[in-house]
Amino acid sequence: MAAEIVNPPTGTEPGDTVNAGVTSEAGRTGQADEGFPIDPVFALHRGGKMEVVSTVPVRDADDLSLAYTPGVAEVCTAIAEKPELVHDYTWKSQVVAVVTDGTAVLGLGDIGPEASLPVMEGKAILFKQFGGVDAVPIALACTDVDEIVETVVRLSPSFGGVNLEDISAPRCFEIEERLKERLDIPVFHDDQHGTAVVTLAALRNACTLTGRTLGDLRAVISGAGAAGVAIAKILIEAGIGDVAVTDRKGVVHEGRDDLNPVKRDLAAYTNNAGLTGSLESALSGADVFIGVSGGTVAEEAVATMAEGAFIFAMANPTPEIHPDVAHKYAAVVATGRSDFPNQINNVLAFPGIFAGALQVRASAITEGMKLAAAEALAAVVADELSPDRVIPSPFDTRVAPAVTAAVAAAARAEGVARR
């Protein structure tokens, strides 16, 4: 299966309307609503962004007898007798299911499964473009945790891995954990772990650039959702000095009686300094700000951070701290946007992580594999560091091979590789 971007229709200009079917070069035909405006985004998406392409020829009866009946029966019988052969004689070991319920889509919120499909298609083509991994978008018409888990388990024989995408917190945590318990293929919630891996890589390089170590740092994370929790966990695994996480009500700490189970667990292993109160008060003297929540942090609070701070304000499209403000106080500034330096972009992580896991037929993606991915990603630009370059560009062709190799090696070292 190959994911290809469909070329936009020709002969139209932004603002034109389409009143007849438009056929792309890929051969798709679509009918626009009367008076529907055409712009480059809609033109690109017409007919979808993917198609399925055969990897073998079917030119004549001989080809047909090999690719389908009767020849295919020999392969089916062999797999029935020796199930592990499915990895060698089907696409299973090369393809990932990109699964969502449409409840937390790309800053758009709960827009439903149909509206999530353009994003899931986009995710699938990023898998292919940046990691050489085939992926299939699967948007589920259910939001119940039990139903999602059972559905994915039943679909799993067709796939070598599962990438959970845009599922709202805190349900996303339980869904991932239950699927990891029940499946013997990699399960990875990219909104959590992809963001965490790239953030750690950038933070490592920011430390190297300024002569510090992770152990020297106290970080404050704005946002206790999927990304915030995962970032806190990976920073602790990597040895950060201290990290406090904040939500809308302030610092997540053990003295609060309004925490859900995920936040209660979070409070137990973060915030060694025992901070309480607001995000702004927690920033006083902090070495690192990591924003994955939206909202705006007042410049007066930013000014209270430690000298030479790191500010990773990753909300899109509006960072919690605008780079122009951040640069007044920080040694290194990163955002989630592509039009500023140091973009914290998940595409730097998930294609290589899955490519490495699939390469060795890993049964899971472990914490060690995530840490290895972050180290490899940081190393790509280790000899090129500057305040505006602590993380590679998504288009740096060194990224995916480096992450793939590191993840595969870590899977072998941790005993989850099966080849």
Side-chain angles (χ1 to χ4, degrees), residues 278-292:
S278 67
L279 163 67
E280 288 76 13
S281 65
L283 281 178
S284 179
D287 303 289
V288 184
F289 169 82
I290 296 171
V292 283

Side-chain angles (χ1 to χ4, degrees), residues 40 52 98 118 132 186 196 231 241 271 299 362 365 380 403:
V52 174
V98 180
I231 292 169
N271 192 24
E299 182 172 350
I365 293 174
V380 169
V403 173

